[in-house]
Amino acid sequence: MRIPAHSVCTAIRDDIVAGVHERGGRLTEEVLARRYGVSRVPVREALRTLEAEGFVVTRRHAGACVAEPTEQEAADLLEMRVLLEPLGASRAAQRRTEAHLKVLRGLVRLGQERARRGNSEDLRALGGWFHETLAQASGSPSLASALTQLRHKIAWMYAVAAPPSPVDLWAEHGAIADAVARGDVERARAITALHTERTTAAHRLRFSGGGAGPDRVRTSQHAVNMSGPRH
């Protein structure tokens, strides 16, 4: 498999998230260069970036290895997401552009249509694109980057159960998009906070042992209020 040198980091990260490179496994420059069809230079640069992101660690006598986060470290990521997603939504309500709104509304329409039809194959990807666009709409590159890294690491550490009601989940996405469109900062923050807490409950660790954190995260029992004018 030959890929552009600038995409090596993304390719290695994607393979780590997918479990191709197992937790604790060695990442040899020569082997990786051969796998991705590049020289060792972009591989070396990619490993440095991935170490900074927390996907890779350098061990004495072993070199670069896939990191082995503890349960507590994994739980911390979900807590960070619960804090940062609402912040991103509130910023988006202040700074979004018409282009952002067009994409958010399009994703909501598509997600709601497929949820009603019971076609769940693409719903997870659509949800990811929705939250990625919401982060970009915040107008804060550093916040958007942090949220993207969180999503990558959470996808690596957790399996996510299918939502019991995809229709309700996409109604929440629609309510978030409406609040952002109206510039309602507090409503965008509040709905996103409840939405994030609710979806967090569906996350289950892919591994166990080595940490003190629970594999279940407590979630809010409050219902999201969907009433109010639609934009």
Side-chain angles (χ1 to χ4, degrees):
M1 175 174 69
R2 178 171 293 277
I3 63 174
H6 68 271
S7 300
V8 173
C9 183
T10 298
I12 298 175
R13 185 194 300 110
D14 287 349
D15 280 347
I16 289 175
V17 171
V20 174
H21 303 303
E22 297 182 353
R23 297 174 70 247
R26 291 186 64 187
L27 296 168
T28 307
E29 289 181 11
E30 182 179 356
V31 173
L32 294 174
R34 187 164 56 248
R35 171 178 175 79
Y36 301 113
V38 296
S39 72
R40 294 173 62 171
V41 173
V43 169
R44 189 175 305 123
E45 294 173 352
L47 291 177
R48 283 198 290 264
T49 298
L50 293 171
E51 184 169 16
E53 293 179 358
F55 288 95
V56 172
V57 295
T58 300
R59 293 177 177 157
R60 189 176 182 183
H61 306 309
C65 300
V66 178
E68 297 180 89
T70 65
E71 292 182 32
Q72 185 59 65
E73 289 170 334
D76 287 347
L77 293 176
L78 292 182
E79 290 186 18
M80 291 170 64
R81 177 174 171 263
V82 168
L83 292 172
L84 293 181
E85 289 277 8
L87 174 61
S90 66
R91 293 276 179 85
Q94 295 173 304
R95 304 174 179 175
R96 87 293 184 277
T97 66
E98 287 302 316
H100 291 132
L101 289 179
K102 182 177 181 180
V103 174
L104 288 172
R105 287 167 173 156
L107 289 169
V108 167
R109 283 195 297 270
L110 188 56
Q112 290 178 339
E113 176 186 334
R114 295 191 178 181
R116 285 193 298 269
R117 292 182 178 180
N119 183 354
S120 61
E121 291 184 6
D122 297 331
L123 286 180
R124 185 166 297 174
L126 289 172
W129 291 335
F130 177 88
H131 285 285
E132 183 75 22
T133 304
L134 191 64
Q136 294 296 330
S138 72
S140 172
S142 57
L143 178 58
S145 177
L147 284 168
T148 297
Q149 284 195 35
L150 275 176
R151 279 189 288 273
H152 285 317
K153 294 180 80 171
I154 289 170
W156 172 37
M157 298 182 197
Y158 289 92
V160 183
S165 177
V167 172
D168 290 344
L169 182 74
W170 279 92
E172 292 178 6
H173 285 146
I176 293 169
D178 283 351
V180 169
R182 294 196 303 270
D184 191 333
V185 174
E186 291 307 317
R187 182 167 172 78
R189 183 194 298 272
I191 297 175
T192 304
L194 290 174
H195 172 77
T196 305
E197 289 180 15
R198 196 192 315 282
T199 56
T200 291
H203 289 67
R204 297 294 179 268
L205 277 174
R206 298 183 187 274
F207 61 89
S208 62
D215 67 349
R216 290 177 181 236
V217 179
R218 183 170 56 84
T219 184
S220 169
Q221 298 302 312
H222 300 293
V224 175
N225 177 14
M226 296 302 169
S227 61
R230 305 286 291 180
H231 185 85

